[in-house]
Amino acid sequence: MGEGLSEGPPPTAPPRWNTDHVPEDHEKLVADALRAQATSSGAHPPVTPPDRPATPLPAGWVLLLAALLGLAAGTVVAVITLR
């Protein structure tokens, strides 16, 4: 035998993962895991919708707000320009 070599047992192979329970379809595996997580997590109770829907903002108020914001932006631009 040459120098530096030992007569020990041969190196063992790394342990193999037990894949008996893993399905071949990886998408199904991910879907099953997400489904299990969603059903087992009690962090988010079911949300019940309100009795009546929220009333939308009237169009007149939206136009008024847009006009006021436009005037404010124009004023800022005018002040910066005229300085």
Side-chain angles (χ1 to χ4, degrees):
M1 195 100 297
E3 288 184 37
L5 297 177
S6 65
E7 293 262 343
T12 59
R16 298 199 53 174
W17 295 98
N18 183 6
T19 59
D20 295 337
H21 64 283
V22 178
E24 290 295 322
D25 187 9
H26 295 290
E27 289 181 19
K28 183 177 181 335
L29 174 68
V30 171
D32 289 344
L34 289 174
R35 189 175 300 111
Q37 181 183 11
T39 57
S40 68
S41 170
H44 303 289
V47 177
T48 57
D51 293 337
R52 60 184 179 89
T55 58
L57 194 60
W61 286 106
V62 173
L63 290 175
L64 180 64
L65 180 62
L68 289 175
L69 288 174
L71 287 173
T75 303
V76 169
V77 170
V79 168
I80 292 173
T81 303
L82 296 176
R83 266 194 183 182

